[in-house]
Structures are given as C-alpha cells and as structure tokens.
Amino acid sequence: MNERRIFERVIDLCQVQSSSNALNNSLVCLAGAAGFDHYAYFRAHPNDNFVATDYPIEWQRRYFARSYMTLDPVVTTAKRGTQVFYWSVDDVRPRACRDQRRFYTEAAEFGLKSGLSVSVSAGFGRFAILTFTSSSHGRRRGSLAGETSGLGITAAAFLHSRMRHMEDLECNGTASLSATELACLKWSSEGKTMVEIAAILDITYTCVRRNLRRAMDKLGVCKLSQATAAATRRLLI
C-alpha cells in the first residue's frame, strides 16, 4: 500500500468510526495492511499529552515515566513544523549523545526501528503526530513532498480533529454508533438508496435497513432524514 492510499484510508476511517477505541483499532489494522507493525497518534503539550496507540504497554509506561518525548527524534522533528517524513533510529544513533543512544536502543528492542510520520499544528502551542512504525530498518529516508505530503497533512489533521471530537462526545455520554451504522448514514446523507448502500458496503439490504434503524434509535429520531441531519450536526458523519 503506497503513502497516498494510506492517507486516504485514514481520512475514510475518521468519517465512519464513532469512538476513539474503534478508530484506534481500525488504524492498527490499517498499519498492518500497509506493511507496518504499529500505529500511534500523539498530541503533545507540556500540560496536555495524549496518546492512542498499540505500542507495547511497557514501552508506553517507560516512554512517559522517563520523559522520552524530549529525546524522541519524531517529536523533535515535529516541533519544527508541519511535515511528512520517514525516519529510522539508524539514521540518528551514530551521532547521538549517550542518553539518546539509550533511547534508540530501547525503542529498537520494542520493535520501533523506523516509520512514517506526519506532524500538524494542534493550536495554542500543541502539535499532533500520526505515525506508522516498523520493526525493520527503514529503506525510505527524508521528507515527502507535493500532493502526497499535502494529503498526509490533511489525514493527520482529520485524525486530530476526530480524536478531539470523540473525546468530547465520550465525556458527555453521547450514544456511540457502530462503524457500519455510520457508514450507512453517511451514504444515505449522500443520497444513496438502501439498495445502493448494500452494494457499496457489500452487505445485504436487510443489514442496511437494520443498521439505519439502530442508528435512528440511538440518535432518538423517527425518520432517516432526521438521523442524517442529527449525525451531521454532531459531526458524526
């Protein structure tokens, strides 16, 4: 899967998942399908760090307990501004100080040796990073440019916005819709019939009707038009 397709899939997933856990799980699956081993979304700020990832739990604990974000080359590169770039611990380890070499060695031991990252501004001094990592040594180097870079930045911005919105919804107890329910609602809002939605999603007409009915019940409405309007208004689709 090339970079363009990866970023397109991130944008698609952001529009059809209704909870941060579901979106996180879908991005983990995307990482595997794209040839990577892990995925991470990291929002960085001295007073507001947030991470969604499938990195090993022990590594996550160690990373924050030892303030490794001050040594992480992905984070330090992201601080320089919005960009899309490949990285590898092998590129920076030879010229690193002792503390940095320890960080790189430990990261490699946990299977985090190379990857593809996108950094975007998150406002008020914050920035967000979308990363796909591999346990193998990276063969690609440097920044991406042109249309693919622009798409990557759009994907990371979509993900950041979606994650923040989901946090607000989950804190406020908003009903959670499944990915299929959201997909059916999204296509319905685009003017597709239930028959057409069934063909697009490769499911049965009955399944489409059932998912739309469940979505209406969760949104507390009686008509499909009301459901798509409510979902749109709440930024669910």
Side-chain angles (χ1 to χ4, degrees):
M1 188 182 297
N2 61 29
E3 295 92 346
R4 179 180 180 83
R5 184 55 182 154
I6 293 171
F7 297 144
E8 288 175 341
R9 288 289 296 134
V10 170
I11 294 170
D12 289 346
L13 291 171
C14 286
Q15 296 188 77
V16 299
Q17 296 294 0
S18 60
S19 72
S20 55
N21 282 338
L23 179 55
N24 191 56
N25 290 338
S26 294
L27 289 167
V28 169
C29 293
L30 172 60
F36 294 96
D37 297 296
H38 297 287
Y39 136 85
Y41 161 76
F42 180 47
R43 185 176 67 242
H45 186 268
N47 300 317
D48 183 28
N49 286 320
F50 175 84
V51 65
T53 183
D54 68 329
Y55 285 174
I57 294 298
E58 177 57 32
W59 171 249
Q60 294 184 52
R61 291 171 179 163
R62 187 179 305 185
Y63 186 93
F64 288 105
R66 298 181 179 178
S67 297
Y68 275 165
M69 68 281 295
T70 62
L71 300 173
D72 189 338
V74 174
V75 174
T76 55
T77 300
K79 286 181 179 179
R80 300 177 196 141
T82 298
Q83 53 191 307
V84 185
F85 57 97
Y86 276 97
W87 54 270
S88 171
V89 296
D90 287 345
D91 290 343
V92 289
R93 184 159 33 192
R95 57 182 182 273
C97 68
R98 183 179 64 180
D99 288 343
Q100 289 173 327
R101 287 198 300 271
R102 182 182 68 178
F103 166 78
Y104 302 143
T105 298
E106 291 181 15
E109 288 173 352
F110 281 96
L112 311 174
K113 297 180 180 179
S114 63
L116 170 64
S117 295
V118 186
S119 62
V120 292
S121 171
F124 297 98
R126 296 169 174 80
F127 60 92
I129 307 170
L130 165 63
T131 292
F132 295 98
T133 62
S134 174
S135 59
S136 61
H137 298 297
R139 290 174 291 180
R140 296 289 300 273
R141 298 289 189 274
S143 300
L144 296 178
E147 184 181 355
T148 301
S149 176
L151 187 61
I153 292 167
T154 299
F158 254 85
L159 178 60
H160 169 66
S161 177
R162 193 62 168 164
M163 283 290 193
R164 289 307 302 262
H165 179 63
M166 287 174 172
E167 288 177 63
D168 292 340
L169 290 180
E170 288 160 7
C171 288
N172 294 328
T174 301
S176 177
L177 277 69
S178 72
T180 304
E181 290 164 355
L182 284 172
C184 289
L185 277 179
K186 179 63 177 176
W187 283 116
S188 179
S189 72
E190 297 292 334
K192 299 298 183 182
T193 67
M194 284 194 238
V195 172
E196 290 171 328
I197 296 171
I200 292 169
L201 300 180
D202 195 24
I203 57 179
T204 66
Y205 172 87
T206 301
C207 186
V208 172
R209 185 174 60 184
R210 182 169 61 247
N211 276 278
L212 288 173
R213 171 50 61 187
R214 287 174 179 169
M216 286 187 281
D217 289 343
K218 290 178 180 180
L219 292 169
V221 297
C222 300
K223 297 181 179 180
L224 182 55
S225 59
Q226 294 173 322
T228 55
T232 302
R233 186 171 59 251
R234 299 181 193 184
L235 302 181
L236 294 174
I237 59 175

